[in-house]
Amino acid sequence: MHAGNSLPSTIPSLSHFLDVQSLTNEQFWALLHLARRLKEERMQAGRNEPILAGKTLAMIFQKPSLRTRVSFEVGMRHLGGYALYLSHEEVGLGKRESAPDVARVLSGYVDGIMARVFDHAHVLQLAEWGSVPVINGLSDYSHPCQALTDIFTLWEQMGNLTGLQLAYLGDGANNVATSLLEAAGKVGLSVRIVSPVGYQPDPALVAQTDADVTVTDDLDGVIGADVLYTDVWTSMGQEAEHQQRSAALAEYQINDQLIAHTRNANVRVLHCLPAHRGEEITDSVADSDRSLLFAQAHNRLHAQKAILAHLLGGIPLV
């Protein structure tokens, strides 16, 4: 199911939003359409309908965040609801208190839980033991909110996604790359993972996605790409590996020379942010006209409002 096709009138509702792979193509596209409707409503009317009036979202953070916290908090406010920030020190998820206990306690207070965690098992346990919808705001395994945003941004900026060539450079085994591969299979996007050996995705993950995926360590993999995507080389929790990772990934930086190597004058660039400028991407690219970094960041708000509207507001997927 791709952009421009009519969507079926009845699409099964989601109970949670934990990863991309568990969504059908129709569910994924319906969320994209809902995100577009909510964004257009906000832009045209200056407001969204308060469909989440009286609803509260608990936000559990083991990892600090700019985009995740602000976009979820503002998204709840735009839709008439309230978001409650819970720090790692307050909750101690998995240490001070078990994830099953946290899930059962919060389910008696709030209408939904968003968790940004290290261990993906904690997100799964919150969903298993709680009685309210759970949203994966990021785990070490996956980043489904980012993937929904990435596809929404490309759809908005470039139109038809079928056959579009995206080259992902750097750590192709991280959570962003994982969810992007899963999302690509929902929309007909072709993905080339351009990463050194040791930083490439699990072959089992590649095998399970419906996307056309090529994995290579050769920088010629960017030739003809319509979109380049990168992420930080050292994620939170990997600080001790920074020197090793920087050395291994140095030649995979997105810079002016790599842009020229694509042989595509119209190539666009994505980065989920925060960016370590001068490492995985240069200022000259990040701040150029081909950069979609900030449109992408702003779209976190709209993509996540679609998730919230569906899970907490009962807005159907159509």
Side-chain angles (χ1 to χ4, degrees), residues 22-238:
S22 61
L23 275 64
T24 66
N25 294 10
E26 290 76 18
Q27 287 170 328
F28 191 84
W29 268 111
L31 285 172
L32 293 175
H33 279 267
L34 180 53
R36 184 170 69 177
R37 292 201 302 273
L38 291 170
K39 182 173 182 177
E40 290 176 348
E41 179 185 70
R42 177 78 185 176
M43 292 177 66
Q44 294 169 6
R47 62 188 292 272
N48 290 117
E49 292 298 318
I51 57 176
L52 297 186
K55 302 281 188 178
T56 300
L57 176 74
M59 305 189 302
I60 301 173
F61 283 86
Q62 286 186 329
K63 295 184 176 185
S65 171
L66 172 64
R67 280 151 297 280
T68 300
R69 178 177 179 178
V70 176
S71 56
F72 270 109
E73 195 161 327
V74 172
M76 283 296 292
R77 186 70 63 90
H78 281 182
L79 296 175
Y82 176 75
L84 176 67
Y85 175 82
L86 298 170
S87 71
H88 180 54
E89 290 73 19
E90 292 169 312
V91 179
L93 185 68
K95 293 184 177 180
R96 177 178 176 272
E97 196 158 2
S98 72
D101 284 359
V102 170
R104 286 176 285 190
V105 169
L106 287 179
S107 292
Y109 298 148
V110 301
D111 303 285
I113 300 169
M114 187 284 296
R116 181 177 167 90
V117 302
F118 286 96
D119 190 346
H120 188 69
H122 286 156
V123 174
L124 300 180
Q125 290 169 343
L126 290 170
E128 178 183 0
W129 291 93
S131 56
V132 298
V134 173
I135 301 168
N136 179 4
L138 175 143
S139 69
D140 278 356
Y141 173 71
S142 68
H143 199 350
C145 292
Q146 185 65 56
L148 183 66
T149 299
D150 296 338
I151 300 299
F152 179 64
T153 302
L154 291 177
W155 182 41
E156 180 180 66
Q157 296 281 336
M158 307 185 78
N160 185 26
L161 300 176
T162 305
L164 202 70
Q165 300 284 333
L166 182 148
Y168 184 99
L169 288 95
D171 185 359
N174 73 6
N175 50 8
V176 171
T178 293
S179 291
L180 186 65
L181 283 173
E182 292 174 344
K186 310 294 182 187
V187 300
L189 188 69
S190 296
V191 179
R192 307 172 193 168
I193 301 292
V194 184
S195 304
V197 174
Y199 295 87
Q200 296 176 348
D202 185 337
L205 170 67
V206 175
Q208 78 176 10
T209 179
D210 294 329
D212 175 17
V213 180
T214 301
V215 179
T216 180
D217 62 356
D218 191 337
L219 287 172
D220 282 352
V222 306
I223 295 174
D226 300 295
V227 183
L228 299 179
Y229 195 135
T230 192
D231 188 11
V232 295
W233 293 339
T234 305
S235 298
M236 282 177 280
Q238 299 174 331

